[in-house]
Amino acid sequence: NKKSGLKGKFRRYEQQDDVQAKRKHSDNEFELTLQPSVMTQREALVGAITDILWKGGDSHHAILAVPGTSESFEPPAGFSRDGITEKLHLFECSKEEELRMFVEQNINFFVQQRSGGLACLLYSVVLSRGVER
């Protein structure tokens, strides 16, 4: 199931390295409480998005699609404007670190409500993988 695989990937990144773990003593038992900071959550999301797109491009390239403020092409007649697609800017990366840098620079877009972040992530996955595939 691809949906649960994606959730698992985000969870795994969230729980990696930088998660702050605190042990609390209560009723003679230790309880492990995970409380990742906002910064740690964002780093985990950057890592997960980078990994998904990089693997989607067979570890050779990836494309990150993010909207700009103005239209990036003249929509043809009959094109239904959605406020995102016509403003997309595509960043093609041939190195994983380059991709990570672009994801980090645009991570706020992916976490803001009503920003179209999920749609752009989907565009990025499809374009990285290849429309033909």
Side-chain angles (χ1 to χ4, degrees), residues 61-131:
H61 78 282
I63 297 175
L64 182 66
V66 293
T69 54
S70 60
E71 291 183 353
S72 57
F73 67 94
E74 183 62 38
F79 179 83
S80 180
R81 296 173 191 262
D82 62 13
I84 298 172
T85 305
E86 62 273 10
K87 295 179 181 181
L88 283 182
H89 291 267
L90 306 178
F91 298 96
E92 187 167 3
C93 303
S94 57
K95 296 180 181 172
E96 189 174 7
E97 270 312 305
E98 179 184 26
L99 174 62
R100 181 178 300 279
M101 181 187 73
F102 280 120
V103 173
E104 283 176 2
Q105 290 173 352
N106 292 284
I107 195 63
N108 286 334
F109 166 73
F110 288 100
V111 298
Q112 291 174 349
Q113 289 185 3
R114 299 176 192 232
S115 66
L118 185 58
C120 288
L121 180 59
L122 181 59
Y123 273 116
S124 298
V125 170
V126 170
L127 292 170
S128 293
R129 185 78 178 150
V131 178

Side-chain angles (χ1 to χ4, degrees), residues 26-58:
S26 95
D27 299 326
N28 295 328
E29 293 180 21
F30 284 99
E31 205 174 277
L32 183 62
T33 306
L34 297 177
Q35 297 177 337
S37 66
V38 171
M39 177 78 112
T40 300
Q41 291 174 36
R42 286 180 185 245
E43 288 172 3
L45 187 57
V46 166
I49 291 172
T50 300
D51 190 48
I52 290 166
L53 296 179
W54 191 246
K55 286 181 180 175
D58 291 331

